[in-house]
Amino acid sequence: MLVYDIKTKTLQNETIDGYGTESDGYEFGTIDWIPGKDKKGGLLVSLMGVRSLMGRANTTDDDLDGEGVSFTYVMLYDLEGKRWYNQSTEYRGEPLTRTRFCTALVHDDERGVYE
């Protein structure tokens, strides 16, 4: 995973277990940040569209050779613990091959939650 430090303006490649394998990875997705206390640390929420072979980048929507990723779980990354978790969800639909979608993370001040 590439990590950019905004204070030192440096980019670092970190090996992180639990997200894909040596032979496959994810593409056509989004990653959103849920800040921790005082906007430090927090979680990354990963929603991906396609799982495909490493080194095989799909360039068009007609060129999708990977499998769709189910939203029956969501991948979460703990920034302080540097660990990926798979969180189950209420979604029970079939895995879809998704491209060109986006997400929006909104904080509800009244309830103190992110949606």
Side-chain angles (χ1 to χ4, degrees), residues 15-68:
T15 301
I16 307 292
D17 292 331
Y19 192 85
T21 67
E22 288 184 18
S23 62
D24 69 350
Y26 298 97
E27 60 185 334
F28 294 122
T30 65
I31 294 183
D32 293 303
W33 173 52
I34 299 175
K37 289 185 178 185
D38 299 323
K39 301 213 182 241
K40 294 179 183 174
L43 296 173
L44 298 179
V45 180
S46 174
L47 298 169
M48 292 292 129
V50 178
R51 179 181 333 220
S52 60
L53 294 174
M54 295 295 278
R56 170 70 172 96
N58 296 309
T59 56
T60 69
D61 290 351
D62 296 329
D63 188 29
L64 298 176
D65 65 346
E67 63 185 62

Side-chain angles (χ1 to χ4, degrees), residues 3 11 20 25 32-33 36 41 49 60 63 76 79 84 93 105-106 115:
V3 178
L11 188 64
D32 293 303
W33 173 52
T60 69
D63 188 29
L76 302 171
L79 287 164
W84 282 102
L105 187 65
V106 179
E115 300 180 306

Side-chain angles (χ1 to χ4, degrees), residues 42-106:
L43 296 173
L44 298 179
V45 180
S46 174
L47 298 169
M48 292 292 129
V50 178
R51 179 181 333 220
S52 60
L53 294 174
M54 295 295 278
R56 170 70 172 96
N58 296 309
T59 56
T60 69
D61 290 351
D62 296 329
D63 188 29
L64 298 176
D65 65 346
E67 63 185 62
V69 177
S70 174
F71 284 171
T72 56
Y73 68 92
V74 174
M75 293 176 283
L76 302 171
Y77 182 70
D78 175 1
L79 287 164
E80 290 184 18
K82 296 189 177 200
R83 181 173 173 200
W84 282 102
Y85 295 92
N86 290 326
Q87 175 63 51
S88 62
T89 69
E90 296 294 320
Y91 181 83
R92 296 296 172 248
E94 293 294 318
L96 301 174
T97 302
R98 300 170 186 89
T99 65
R100 300 176 192 241
F101 72 94
C102 65
T103 59
L105 187 65
V106 179

